[in-house]
Each structure stands twice: as C-alpha cells, then as structure tokens.
Amino acid sequence: MKVQVISNSGGQLPLPMLDSKWGLTREKVFPLSVGKEYTVHAITALKEVFWYYLLDERDLPYPVWYPSPLFRVSDGSLPAHWVVNYTANAMTQDRVGSSLITFKEWANDPSFYERLVEGEPGTVAVFRNERDMSA
C-alpha cells in the first residue's frame, strides 16, 4: 500500500482528532514531505480514523504511525500475506485494545513493535525483510 502526503500540518486534521495529550494540535508539524509517496508498513484504527505506520523523514529504523487524513491513498492494494488481528488491553475490563493490519509476525505479536523500536536483532531482521519486499 502506498500513500501520498497532502498535508503535514495538524491544522488539517479533523477537529475530533485534536488532542494535546497525544501531541495532536493545530500547530503540530509532522516530519513528512508534502507530495511524497510513502509505503505503508501497517495500519491501525484509533480516534475513528486509520493510522498508517511508515518510515518518515527522520530516518528512524522503524515505522511511526500517522493519521490518515494527512494522506491520499495512491495505491490501496495490500500485500497478500498481511493479516488482521485484534489485541485486547489486559489492563481493562471492557476489551478496549487495538486492531492491526500488517504482516503476521507483527500482527500476531503484541510486543513486536516494542522490540523493533528497541532494536532487537531478530525483530529488526524480520522488519527489514518485509520492508525490502515492499520496496
């Protein structure tokens, strides 16, 4: 899946999405290049919109999530090997959790992203392989 940035400004987000606790303010400038196309590495839903995990302009070794209103979908096809999973938050009684659409190693492992951010070698290797397949 590919998306193209139409805005990198919090000022373009729908009012219900704005939340200073999340750093989502009208003044927020996201590290994205307007007009640039990015590969989506995972999709989740929060605050009633999709969020796309992608490698941004900070050159981090792991993808970061961004709200979908900042993008136009330029290629909506999903890799055939992606799966959907839902993980309930064990800390709540009401099954509030998160949905994730991505490759199975990430979707089926609630600690995958944390290990990726921490640079765990096996997890990084899995992500690099997936990233290279998407390029």
Side-chain angles (χ1 to χ4, degrees), residues 2-133:
K2 304 244 185 228
V3 294
Q4 184 178 30
V5 178
I6 56 174
S7 175
N8 63 358
S9 169
Q12 298 302 309
L13 294 175
L15 188 57
M17 286 196 71
L18 298 177
D19 186 335
S20 60
K21 292 181 295 192
W22 287 68
L24 298 172
T25 64
R26 292 263 178 235
E27 297 74 33
K28 174 75 175 180
V29 176
F30 297 93
L32 301 165
S33 296
V34 174
K36 184 174 177 179
E37 187 176 71
Y38 294 85
T39 298
V40 175
H41 297 284
I43 303 167
T44 193
L46 182 70
K47 292 187 170 285
E48 300 181 18
V49 300
F50 288 123
W51 291 66
Y52 305 134
Y53 282 85
L54 49 90
L55 297 168
D56 62 24
E57 298 305 309
R58 294 177 290 179
D59 201 30
L60 298 171
Y62 53 87
V64 177
W65 64 345
Y66 291 97
S68 60
L70 299 175
F71 303 91
R72 173 184 75 76
V73 176
S74 52
D75 178 357
S77 58
L78 299 176
H81 66 283
W82 278 22
V83 298
V84 178
N85 201 355
Y86 176 83
T87 304
N89 183 342
M91 302 300 287
T92 65
Q93 297 289 329
D94 57 5
R95 286 203 33 94
V96 171
S98 61
S99 297
L100 194 62
I101 304 168
T102 189
F103 52 94
K104 67 180 181 195
E105 292 87 351
W106 185 353
N108 295 332
D109 181 349
S111 65
F112 182 91
Y113 187 74
E114 181 181 342
R115 290 193 322 274
L116 179 61
V117 170
E118 291 174 354
E120 191 276 319
T123 305
V124 169
V126 169
F127 176 72
R128 281 188 185 147
N129 183 54
E130 288 294 325
R131 180 196 64 202
D132 293 346
M133 286 182 7

